Amino acid sequence: TRCMDWMLWFVYTLCALMCMGCNGDGDTQLPLDGTAKTGSATMNSYTYYYFNASRSGDVIITTTITGGAATGVWTYVGQDYRPYDGDSDWSMGSIEGYASVIHVNNLVPNATYYVAVQGIGPSETYSISATLRQSPYQPPVVLEMNDMPETAATTAYQYTDFWLNVTDKGNFSVATNVQTSNLDNRFYLMVSHGSLPRLGKSDHKFRVQRGNDWESFVVPFARPGHFGVSVWHDHTSISFYIKATNSDSDDTFDHQRRQR
């Protein structure tokens, strides 16, 4: 009996030591000091990591191929959910000799960020690291309904966030005027009730297709409350105007597009 108890204690202790730095799902915690974790990936396999936004700033996630086939891996990042191919807030591929570098800007306080590494070839080995660059948290700008447009700017593959307080039940519109004559690249406007939207998690996602002109997007059947509004694009640094209006009072913008 003593031998069995000792063996059970040994197995329990070993499992506890192996799971140090893991969450309840078995994901491995990424330190934010640049210390690399190593792993291996096969075709369509996923390995998950995470880090907590206990400090403000930006995080740079670097994935480097260290061996195996020449096909590489993809890295995905999701805020407060486990991302995968087709559903993520940030993503980038890496192959041998070309590391992927993902910038997660302006960490949302107390959020948990999940990082997935997906294999896209027979067998790869890789290293992954995360480095925090501390800076003060920049809270979202507050949009006032039926007020003058706000002027904002954003950089490629990053989010620019706003809060909007909706007091009346019904439709409302969010309009943008992107200051460029070329919108061949992707430029998205997203809206969510009660949270800041992201590419992988939003209530409404619209694709802006006109530059140097107003485009207005209708959010239907909205219930009163706080709405997060976010802009994301894969262009170079770009500025834009943004405005929110009640649909029944929106006589300024004549172009409305269906939700995509």
Side-chain angles (χ1 to χ4, degrees):
T1 303
R2 288 183 178 179
C3 182
M4 182 63 69
D5 290 343
W6 183 88
M7 290 179 64
L8 290 174
W9 175 86
F10 178 79
V11 171
Y12 175 81
T13 303
L14 181 62
C15 291
L17 289 172
M18 291 176 64
C19 287
M20 286 182 65
C22 299
N23 61 8
D25 295 320
D27 306 331
T28 301
Q29 185 170 12
L30 276 178
L32 297 181
D33 60 1
T35 301
K37 298 287 186 179
T38 59
S40 60
T42 56
M43 177 69 75
N44 290 327
S45 68
Y46 285 88
T47 302
Y48 281 92
Y49 305 85
Y50 74 97
F51 61 87
N52 298 313
S54 57
R55 292 175 290 175
S56 62
D58 304 335
V59 167
I60 301 172
I61 300 169
T62 304
T63 307
T64 305
I65 300 299
T66 57
T71 47
V73 299
W74 272 86
T75 304
Y76 308 94
V77 182
Q79 179 189 314
D80 292 324
Y81 71 97
R82 301 173 90 213
Y84 54 89
D85 182 15
D87 192 5
S88 64
D89 300 336
W90 295 266
S91 64
M92 186 171 290
S94 55
I95 60 175
E96 187 175 359
Y98 296 90
S100 67
V101 180
I102 296 176
H103 293 253
V104 179
N105 64 313
N106 199 32
L107 296 179
V108 175
N110 301 316
T112 298
Y113 291 83
Y114 293 88
V115 182
V117 177
Q118 178 198 20
I120 56 175
S123 178
E124 301 281 359
T125 57
Y126 63 87
S127 67
I128 184 169
S129 64
T131 303
L132 173 68
R133 292 181 176 175
Q134 285 189 265
S135 60
Y137 175 64
Q138 301 296 321
V141 172
V142 176
L143 291 177
E144 300 290 345
M145 192 71 78
N146 302 319
D147 201 357
M148 295 295 292
E150 290 283 346
T151 304
T154 187
T155 56
Y157 304 105
Q158 305 301 332
Y159 294 89
T160 301
D161 298 322
F162 306 86
W163 282 116
L164 173 66
N165 187 34
V166 176
T167 57
D168 298 320
K169 183 179 180 180
N171 300 347
F172 70 88
S173 298
V174 180
T176 59
N177 188 329
V178 183
Q179 299 299 284
T180 181
S181 58
N182 180 11
L183 264 183
D184 290 341
N185 294 38
R186 294 177 297 165
F187 193 107
Y188 286 108
L189 170 72
M190 296 158 286
V191 181
S192 287
H193 185 274
S195 63
L196 294 173
R198 295 293 181 257
L199 288 175
K201 187 172 64 174
S202 65
D203 295 340
H204 307 275
K205 183 167 69 173
F206 309 98
R207 184 167 182 173
V208 181
Q209 296 183 340
R210 293 173 58 176
N212 292 325
D213 196 5
W214 285 101
E215 272 190 285
S216 184
F217 305 94
V218 176
V219 177
F221 310 113
R223 61 190 187 276
H226 282 88
F227 283 77
V229 180
S230 297
V231 166
W232 178 96
H233 75 110
D234 58 359
H235 208 282
T236 55
S237 181
I238 195 170
S239 62
F240 61 94
Y241 299 102
I242 187 167
K243 179 180 174 68
T245 59
N246 291 331
S247 287
D248 56 2
S249 65
D250 185 5
D251 57 1
T252 306
F253 314 113
D254 59 0
H255 183 73
Q256 295 187 343
R257 299 189 59 86
R258 289 176 172 245
Q259 178 182 348
R260 288 177 173 263

